[in-house]
Amino acid sequence: QVQLVESGGGEVQAGESLRLSCAASGLTFTNYVMTWFRQAPGKERELTAAISWSGFTRYADSVKGRFTISRDNVKNTVSLQMNRLRPEDTAVYFCAARAGNTLWVSSWDFRGQGTQVTVSS
């Protein structure tokens, strides 16, 4: 059974940082592109960051330069370092896994339950 479990969400002030982590189990981790999505109330789901098994990354324009995605293929974890947070970053953040090599696809094979990030001004 595949499980993706996020942690690290919370409430911060604008300009502060948070680090999200996602622990994956039940899958061959290196077969999957790992991604972070976010969804804010009343807004469409947004693909935020993606990382291939070998470490290639891509980011949404809205977070480029502020967020960094990384993965540990030994520990089967993926992280999202979020710096200089803004109120508009407030959302539920989901970790997701998609088989294959295509980096920027807004879909998944498996997804975690999500963790809330709230940024106050």
Side-chain angles (χ1 to χ4, degrees), residues 37-51:
F37 289 81
R38 66 185 183 183
Q39 184 146 27
K43 294 187 178 180
E44 289 190 1
R45 182 184 69 217
E46 180 184 21
L47 174 55
T48 306
I51 186 167

Side-chain angles (χ1 to χ4, degrees), residues 34-71:
M34 299 302 297
T35 56
W36 287 94
F37 289 81
R38 66 185 183 183
Q39 184 146 27
K43 294 187 178 180
E44 289 190 1
R45 182 184 69 217
E46 180 184 21
L47 174 55
T48 306
I51 186 167
S52 70
W53 71 272
S54 59
F56 285 104
T57 60
R58 184 170 171 177
Y59 301 92
D61 288 343
S62 57
V63 306
K64 202 173 293 182
R66 299 187 298 122
F67 290 12
T68 302
I69 188 172
S70 60
R71 66 189 290 164

Side-chain angles (χ1 to χ4, degrees), residues 4-6 92-95 111-115:
L4 300 176
V5 180
E6 302 96 338
V92 177
Y93 283 72
F94 301 92
C95 166
R111 194 203 78 176
Q113 292 297 309
T115 185

Side-chain angles (χ1 to χ4, degrees), residues 4-42:
L4 300 176
V5 180
E6 302 96 338
S7 61
E11 183 169 355
V12 297
Q13 298 288 318
E16 295 183 341
S17 300
L18 274 177
R19 185 176 181 87
L20 305 182
S21 294
C22 172
S25 60
L27 76 171
T28 303
F29 192 64
T30 50
N31 287 351
Y32 291 83
V33 170
M34 299 302 297
T35 56
W36 287 94
F37 289 81
R38 66 185 183 183
Q39 184 146 27

Side-chain angles (χ1 to χ4, degrees), residues 74-103:
V74 174
K75 295 181 179 179
N76 287 5
T77 59
V78 59
S79 298
L80 187 68
Q81 177 66 41
M82 305 185 294
N83 297 330
R84 303 197 305 278
L85 282 160
R86 304 167 179 169
E88 54 264 39
D89 294 319
T90 295
V92 177
Y93 283 72
F94 301 92
C95 166
R98 191 186 70 255
N101 297 312
T102 305
L103 201 57

